[in-house]
Amino acid sequence: MGTEDFLRFMGKGASMKACEGLLVVASPEALANIPPSEPAGSKQGFTVFACANEDPIPPEVIAGAQVIVVEVSQASRASLDRLVELGRSAPDVPRIAAIADASVPFVRTLMHEGVADVVALPFQFEEVLDVAARTIELARRQTHADVGLAPVISIIGSTGGTGSTSIATHLAANLCGLVPARSRIALVDLDLQMGNVADYLALPGAGSVSDLLQARERLDEDLLRSIERSAQDGLAVFAAPNRIEPIESVETDQVLRVLTLMRHHYAGLVLDLPPSWTNWSLSAVSMSDLIIMVVELNVNSLRQAKRQIQLFAEVGIAPGKI
């Protein structure tokens, strides 16, 4: 696409307006198919930043971006690390990975890292604009959908055996008395390997959180109701699976989709989280309004608590939530 064709395409109004705030970060070779970006504040609204695919991206370049298309090389761990760091430094800005001849496992890795979409190299700029516009619109809808959602409280043990599950069950049960009639609190056991919330409350049943995570397009309110276990009036329990499952196989997007659906249908969520950290468990904590960390007064527990607080700071979780 030449510059004149590009400007005609951008002149379609709605398409251009939807892509204001687009930042494209790639090597000079990869940017050969993209016209130079316009000055800041122009109607074109997109920015191009040229650098090697392993070089850090200056914060001032990211400032103001609504969506970032960033080149990633599957042959370079440093390139992938840059993408991960970008997600930590700008957690609210969707990332689109630009890759050449990517393998299916690598695309899966990118999705686990939370990228919103993928575009191919060499760039076809119409494709970039289309994907960026859809990503920005989806982010806007998500922001609007999040308004008025039920609050989330995460319970975390600094180490195993601190009593965090006991606190989670008691807290959820007591919160039931604070919500309006016919409203309910959801207690969600996200410790997929060692979770025992259902055992604490003596709630038999076959359905588990794992069924929701695997449902994908079938996920809806009816499935939620079929999986929940009722411990008392006002308390709905979502149990951990009966068998041990690999926690790295869980997709971050699906965890967030499940929790968001629950926030639409329950008055509040209490999450019992695993002591080990993955991208999806960090994402669950990031959506929390309050994080309760259970710590024992011994050296190991205090040390692990300090490390977890440092991790939260690195991913942008406000200290005031803890």
Side-chain angles (χ1 to χ4, degrees):
M1 174 185 284
T3 300
E4 292 182 1
D5 292 331
F6 167 76
L7 293 175
R8 279 198 296 270
F9 181 81
M10 301 298 259
K12 292 183 178 178
S15 298
M16 185 54 244
K17 185 174 179 61
C19 284
E20 290 179 2
L22 167 63
L23 169 64
V24 182
V25 179
S27 63
E29 297 79 15
L31 292 172
N33 289 348
I34 296 183
S37 58
E38 296 294 323
S42 72
K43 291 185 178 180
Q44 271 58 48
F46 74 99
T47 303
V48 170
F49 182 75
C51 65
N53 61 37
E54 298 179 355
D55 290 348
I57 306 170
E60 60 270 19
V61 173
I62 301 171
Q66 293 187 44
V67 62
I68 303 175
V69 177
V70 57
E71 181 181 3
V72 184
S73 170
Q74 61 182 332
S76 169
R77 178 66 207 187
S79 177
L80 181 60
D81 288 343
R82 182 180 73 168
L83 177 74
V84 174
E85 179 58 32
L86 180 61
R88 291 173 178 168
S89 60
D92 297 327
V93 182
R95 294 162 295 157
I96 298 171
I99 48 181
D101 301 322
S103 63
V104 172
F106 187 66
V107 173
R108 188 178 298 118
T109 297
L110 294 174
M111 293 304 175
H112 281 309
E113 294 297 342
V115 300
D117 213 326
V118 173
V119 294
L121 289 175
F123 282 123
Q124 298 295 322
F125 205 61
E126 282 199 31
E127 178 193 11
V128 174
L129 290 175
D130 180 58
V131 172
R134 284 190 283 108
T135 300
I136 291 174
E137 180 61 24
L138 182 61
R140 286 172 178 162
R141 289 179 183 176
Q142 185 63 49
T143 299
H144 294 153
D146 285 347
V147 176
L149 291 181
V152 180
I153 301 175
S154 288
I155 313 295
I156 304 162
S158 61
T159 59
T162 59
S164 57
T165 296
S166 179
I167 289 174
T169 56
H170 283 281
L171 174 62
N174 280 277
L175 287 175
C176 292
L178 303 178
V179 298
R182 291 193 294 276
S183 296
R184 293 190 298 162
I185 298 295
L187 173 56
V188 188
D189 192 346
L190 289 178
D191 190 350
L192 302 183
Q193 293 188 327
M194 307 295 291
N196 53 11
V197 165
D199 294 333
Y200 267 55
L201 298 173
L203 294 175
S208 74
V209 172
S210 182
D211 297 304
L212 300 175
L213 296 176
Q214 295 171 8
R216 296 187 179 278
E217 291 76 14
R218 296 183 295 107
L219 181 65
D220 57 19
E221 184 182 2
D222 289 338
L223 183 59
L224 278 183
R225 303 303 187 196
S226 69
I227 298 299
E228 71 174 40
R229 307 181 192 186
S230 297
Q232 65 179 60
D233 289 342
L235 180 60
V237 176
F238 293 88
N242 291 324
R243 65 179 187 278
I244 293 178
E245 299 184 0
I247 56 176
E248 68 274 8
S249 66
V250 176
E251 296 181 5
T252 300
D253 287 349
Q254 189 66 7
V255 171
L256 297 180
R257 193 175 298 120
V258 168
L259 295 179
T260 299
L261 180 64
M262 290 180 177
R263 295 178 73 186
H264 279 290
H265 295 288
Y266 296 92
L269 273 61
V270 176
L271 310 182
D272 188 24
L273 287 153
S276 57
W277 292 104
T278 62
N279 289 330
W280 63 262
S281 59
L282 274 174
S283 296
V285 170
S286 295
M287 73 155 49
S288 301
D289 299 279
L290 176 66
I291 301 165
I292 298 176
M293 183 178 294
V294 185
V295 186
E296 294 182 319
L297 294 180
N298 59 60
V299 172
N300 183 49
S301 184
L302 291 169
R303 178 173 177 271
Q304 295 302 325
K306 179 180 178 181
R307 294 178 67 193
Q308 290 188 29
I309 291 172
Q310 289 173 337
L311 174 62
F312 294 161
E314 290 172 2
V315 299
I317 295 174
K321 288 186 175 183
I322 305 170

